[in-house]
Amino acid sequence: MKRIILYITIAAMMSGCAKVTDEQLPCTGTKPSQPRVQSQVVVASGGNNYVTAQADPGTTLIWTGPNNFKYSGSELYLNFYNNTNYGTYSVKAVSGGCESDPATFQVSSTLSVPCSVPNNYTLTSTLLGNDYYYYDPNFYHTSYSGAYRTVYSNSPSGSRQLDIYFSSSTTPNVPTISDLDSTSAFSSGDCYVSYGTSHSVSGKIYLTYSNGDIIMTLCNARFKTAQGQYFTVIGAVSAQW
């Protein structure tokens, strides 16, 4: 009688118990810094908008949002022609298997400015009184704090020099909300304001559009003088698009 020898390979024996997962490899390098992104993005129904984030050089940005939305890229293009995925989004920086803490922002259909100002050319503070900015200059771009920035500069006669720096190198999106930074290095926000010999500390600046101009509104934003005094500012100024 012939004997039939059955050979079973190790690979075949193991194939039935192999486990494949999509678990991320552990981080063995340096954890990237949390990206900086504006806190609210406004996309009108049927419209679109871009969202940019400041992140460590060489990192990949991963964006997530409602309805299992996921995208990888340097900036996020929100297209609402066919859908209205409003809600909370987040972005994180990834490098060498290491992920940053996520930064979140809200996407909504309208921007509501939480204060009422009498006009678009006056700033009123609890310490300095009123300053009047009657003309609306163009934005310009220059190197500032080691990077290319968008700048608004206004200094009419009798008023304090006002400079508003945005961390992006392009005209800011409108309508949108930007967080005010307390340093010119943009360590915590995406907009820094120099007001006379004072500077922004915290708060937000609201950008809307009216009659061909960008209107920038401060609602009780906090500032600090060179001598260490704190005060708040309310008001609005306009810039040509």
Side-chain angles (χ1 to χ4, degrees), residues 58-215:
T59 57
T60 299
L61 293 179
I62 306 297
W63 308 79
T64 57
N67 298 330
N68 298 316
F69 174 84
K70 189 171 184 179
Y71 174 75
S72 174
S74 59
E75 65 179 3
L76 175 63
Y77 176 58
L78 293 173
N79 185 334
F80 281 71
Y81 289 116
N82 300 314
N83 54 64
T84 52
N85 290 326
Y86 296 111
T88 301
Y89 285 71
S90 67
V91 57
K92 61 185 177 182
V94 180
S95 177
C98 299
E99 295 183 352
S100 71
D101 294 330
T104 61
F105 58 97
Q106 296 294 318
V107 176
S108 57
S109 59
T110 58
L111 188 153
S112 177
V113 179
C115 66
S116 177
V117 297
N119 51 59
N120 298 326
Y121 53 80
T122 304
L123 295 183
T124 302
S125 78
T126 56
L127 180 67
L128 306 174
N130 296 332
D131 279 303
Y132 305 97
Y133 301 92
Y134 291 106
Y135 78 100
D136 48 351
N138 287 301
F139 288 99
Y140 68 93
H141 311 292
T142 188
S143 179
Y144 183 72
S145 294
Y148 214 48
R149 309 297 189 187
T150 299
V151 183
Y152 166 91
S153 184
N154 201 329
S155 58
S157 177
S159 294
R160 294 170 182 82
Q161 174 73 31
L162 175 67
D163 294 308
I164 304 176
Y165 300 88
F166 292 94
S167 60
S168 66
S169 60
T170 58
T171 301
N173 293 326
V174 179
T176 191
I177 300 174
S178 293
D179 295 312
L180 295 181
D181 206 311
S182 61
T183 73
S184 58
F186 298 92
S187 59
S188 61
D190 51 1
C191 179
Y192 175 76
V193 182
S194 175
Y195 180 33
T197 59
S198 306
H199 65 83
S200 57
V201 173
S202 61
K204 300 179 185 297
I205 186 167
Y206 302 83
L207 278 66
T208 53
Y209 185 73
S210 176
N211 298 322
D213 290 336
I214 294 178
I215 310 302

